[in-house]
Amino acid sequence: ELVQLTASQFQTPQLKGKHLVITAGPTREAIDPVRYLSNHSSGKMGFALAEQAARMGASVTLISGPVTLPTPAGVTRIDVTSAQQMLQAAEQSLTRCDAFIATAAVADYRPSESAAQKLKKGEADLSRIELTENPDIVATIARHSMRPSRVIAFAAETQDLEAYAQRKLDKKQVDAVVANDVSRTDIGFGSDQNEVLWVTRDQSQPFGPDTKSAVATFILEQLMTLDTSA
Amino acid sequence: ELVQLTASQFQTPQLKGKHLVITAGPTREAIDPVRYLSNHSSGKMGFALAEQAARMGASVTLISGPVTLPTPAGVTRIDVTSAQQMLQAAEQSLTRCDAFIATAAVADYRPSESAAQKLKKGEADLSRIELTENPDIVATIARHSMRPSRVIAFAAETQDLEAYAQRKLDKKQVDAVVANDVSRTDIGFGSDQNEVLWVTRDQSQPFGPDTKSAVATFILEQLMTLDTSA
C-alpha cells in the first residue's frame, strides 16, 4: 500500500497534453462607477483547481473575476470583471479546450442600466435597481458548437444540494456538477476548506471536508474517469 | 530649512492624548447569504489615516468594512459588514472621541429584504431589488448629543468636487469635507495614490497627487489647525 501511494504521487503527469479552462471568483456588475452588485466568492476553489491541474501537467487558462489571489505557477490568467466579459473570454478560449470547469460565482443578474457618473441621492431614483438576466456561461459553453468534451458546473447552494445539483445537470447540459453548501461557515466561500458532492447522471460522491487543494485533486481525478460516451 | 525639516520630522507627537475614530472601507449590504451590494472602496485611505494618526501619538479606533488590509501598528480595529453595524460601532466609540473621520464608502441604500436562503431563479422575483435608505453615519455623528469636537466627512465624487463638498459640509453639519475624484483611475479607489480637496466653510485647499500616507499627514495637519469655535 505504501508503494502504491508513493507510485501514485510520483507518476507521470496525468493531464499532460490537455488544455483546461477554469473560471473563478465572483463577477461584479456595475450600478455606476462606484457601486456594484457582487457575491462572496473568494476564487480560492478555482485557483486551487488551476494550480493542481497545472501540477498534473495540464495547460491551464484561468479566467478570473476580481479576487486578491496570486496566479498559480504555470497558469495563464485572464482577468475580467462582469459576467459578459467572462463569457466573452470563455468563448474565446474554446479553440483548444478539453475541459471547461466553471467554478466562478457569476452574478445571475446585472443592473439594466449602468450609470456613467456616480448616482446621487435626490438626483436619481435609488429606491430600486432594475435587473437584467446575465448570460448563463456554463450552459452557453455546454451548448456551444465548439463544446469541450467535458464541461463541469459548480453549484453554491444553501439547502437540498443533491436535488439542485441533479436539476442543474439537466438544465445546463453539463457532465458533472460539484455542489457545496455555502450556508456553512466552516467551508466554502472565503474558507481554505471545502466539502463537495460530485454529481453525475450515474453517481453522487461526497468528498471532504478537506483543503481546497485536496478537493481540487479529487475533482480532477473524477473528471478523468468521466465517461462522456453515453 | 534643512534644520526645520528635520525638527518637524522628529518633533513630539502632535496628537498625543487625543482619541480619533476613523471609519474605512466599503460596507456590504446582503441581498441573500451569497449576494450583496457594495462599492469599490479598498479602505487604503482610512488605513493610512489610522496609521499616521497612531504615529503622531493619537489613540486610534478604526472601524472597518470588509477589506484585505492588515491592521496598522497600535491601532484598535473593529470589523463590521453593513452600514447599520458601522453606525452602531461608531456610536459606541463616542464616549471618548476627539475627532471622527468618516472615510468609509458607506452604501447609501440596502436591500429592503435580506433573504435567509439563497434566492433561486424561477423561485424568487430577481428582476429588481427594492432598496431602503441606510442611516447617514457621519451626519448622525455630527448631530449626536455626544458629538466629537471635530467631525470630518469624505466625498467620493465623479464631477464638480468643490460644489458637492460645500453642499455636503452644510447638509451633514461637519467641520470639513475631504473630496476626491473617483472617476480618475490613477488615484482614489484601489490606488496607493490620492489627490484631495480639503474643504471647510472658510477655505478650499488642494493636495496631491501623492501617496495616501502623505495625504493622511496633510489631512491630520489640517485637522489640527481647524477652528471649531466659529
Side-chain angles (χ1 to χ4, degrees), chain A residues 77-157:
Chain A
R77 174 171 175 176
I78 300 169
D79 283 320
V80 297
T81 302
S82 69
Q84 289 172 300
Q85 289 168 356
M86 189 174 273
L87 175 62
Q88 192 180 11
E91 288 187 304
Q92 282 168 359
S93 75
L94 292 185
T95 44
R96 200 175 66 79
C97 174
D98 298 295
F100 184 86
I101 310 179
T103 78
V106 181
D108 293 329
Y109 290 81
R110 65 174 179 276
S112 302
E113 289 176 57
S114 176
Q117 300 289 346
K118 184 183 175 191
L119 300 170
K120 300 192 78 71
K121 279 199 236 183
E123 295 175 15
D125 178 14
L126 293 171
S127 67
R128 67 170 52 145
I129 303 170
E130 299 291 338
L131 301 173
T132 297
E133 203 166 340
N134 262 331
D136 186 326
I137 295 176
V138 73
T140 305
I141 300 301
R143 287 177 176 85
H144 205 279
S145 58
M146 293 170 69
R147 185 195 200 275
S149 72
R150 289 168 171 79
V151 179
I152 316 294
F154 268 62
E157 305 294 346

Side-chain angles (χ1 to χ4, degrees), chain A residues 26 28 30-41 68 81 105 107-109 112 116-124 126-134 136 155-159 164 167-168 171-172 182-183 189, chain B residues 26 28 30-41 68 81 105 107-109 112 116-124 126-134 136 155-159 164 167-168 171-172 182-183 189:
Chain A
R28 278 185 190 167
I31 299 167
D32 65 21
V34 176
R35 302 176 178 92
Y36 60 80
L37 283 171
S38 193
N39 63 67
H40 290 291
S41 173
T68 54
T81 302
D108 293 329
Y109 290 81
S112 302
Q117 300 289 346
K118 184 183 175 191
L119 300 170
K120 300 192 78 71
K121 279 199 236 183
E123 295 175 15
L126 293 171
S127 67
R128 67 170 52 145
I129 303 170
E130 299 291 338
L131 301 173
T132 297
E133 203 166 340
N134 262 331
D136 186 326
E157 305 294 346
T158 51
Q159 54 190 331
Y164 281 121
R167 215 179 299 176
K168 206 161 185 174
K171 209 173 124 196
K172 297 188 189 283
V182 293
S183 70
F189 282 4
Chain B
R28 279 185 188 165
I31 299 167
D32 64 22
V34 176
R35 302 175 178 93
Y36 60 79
L37 281 172
S38 192
N39 63 66
H40 289 291
S41 172
T68 54
T81 301
D108 293 327
Y109 290 81
S112 302
Q117 300 289 344
K118 184 183 174 189
L119 299 169
K120 300 193 78 70
K121 278 198 237 185
E123 294 174 16
L126 292 173
S127 67
R128 68 170 52 145
I129 304 170
E130 299 290 338
L131 301 173
T132 298
E133 204 168 342
N134 262 331
D136 186 326
E157 305 295 344
T158 53
Q159 55 190 332
Y164 280 122
R167 213 179 301 175
K168 208 163 183 172
K171 209 173 126 194
K172 297 189 190 283
V182 293
S183 70
F189 282 5

Side-chain angles (χ1 to χ4, degrees), chain B residues 203-214:
Chain B
Q203 59 154 338
S204 172
Q205 197 171 328
F207 184 85
D210 208 326
T211 61
K212 285 188 172 173
S213 188

Side-chain angles (χ1 to χ4, degrees), chain B residues 6-149:
Chain B
T6 311
S8 130
Q9 281 180 324
F10 292 96
Q11 70 193 29
T12 29
Q14 306 121 304
L15 288 171
K16 201 162 169 64
K18 299 294 181 189
H19 188 209
L20 269 63
V21 177
I22 299 169
T23 66
T27 66
R28 279 185 188 165
E29 309 297 330
I31 299 167
D32 64 22
V34 176
R35 302 175 178 93
Y36 60 79
L37 281 172
S38 192
N39 63 66
H40 289 291
S41 172
S42 65
K44 285 180 183 170
M45 193 61 243
F47 277 61
L49 268 166
E51 184 171 16
Q52 287 305 113
R55 279 190 191 160
M56 289 164 79
S59 148
V60 181
T61 299
L62 177 61
I63 303 171
S64 179
V67 297
T68 54
L69 299 171
T71 308
V75 167
T76 301
R77 174 171 173 175
I78 300 169
D79 283 321
V80 298
T81 301
S82 68
Q84 289 172 298
Q85 289 167 358
M86 188 173 275
L87 175 62
Q88 193 179 10
E91 288 187 304
Q92 282 168 359
S93 75
L94 292 186
T95 43
R96 201 175 64 80
C97 173
D98 298 295
F100 185 84
I101 310 180
T103 78
V106 181
D108 293 327
Y109 290 81
R110 65 175 180 273
S112 302
E113 289 177 57
S114 174
Q117 300 289 344
K118 184 183 174 189
L119 299 169
K120 300 193 78 70
K121 278 198 237 185
E123 294 174 16
D125 178 13
L126 292 173
S127 67
R128 68 170 52 145
I129 304 170
E130 299 290 338
L131 301 173
T132 298
E133 204 168 342
N134 262 331
D136 186 326
I137 296 175
V138 74
T140 304
I141 299 303
R143 289 178 176 83
H144 205 279
S145 58
M146 292 171 70
R147 185 195 200 277
S149 71

